[in-house]
Amino acid sequence: LARGVQRTAVRQAHRKHEPNFHDQYGNLVLLGGAAVFAAVWGYVFTSAGIEWGLSPVGRVTPKEWRE
């Protein structure tokens, strides 16, 4: 069994490497996914009406003190 596995591994190692889908289109798919990700989140952040001023100064008003 080990000899057969070894022979198969050697045969596959010497086989000519033909480009598969990932070799041909991998970077294109990655860039396309990144573009869609950026577009969707850009739309969400711009249409959600988020206020980017993160400082609470001027917005937090103290409550009246009760004795």
Side-chain angles (χ1 to χ4, degrees):
L1 179 73
R3 230 178 267 257
V5 170
Q6 204 173 21
R7 208 176 293 133
T8 304
V10 168
R11 208 179 305 131
Q12 286 180 350
H14 287 294
R15 193 175 62 181
K16 192 179 70 163
H17 177 72
E18 67 271 0
N20 60 11
F21 179 84
H22 297 287
D23 292 331
Q24 288 181 335
Y25 304 109
N27 290 335
L28 197 66
V29 170
L30 187 69
L31 290 174
V36 170
F37 177 86
V40 168
W41 279 109
Y43 174 77
V44 167
F45 282 139
T46 54
S47 67
I50 297 172
E51 288 187 14
W52 293 105
L54 298 177
S55 172
V57 175
R59 279 191 278 166
V60 177
T61 56
K63 286 185 179 177
E64 290 295 322
W65 182 261
R66 283 183 288 166
E67 294 273 341

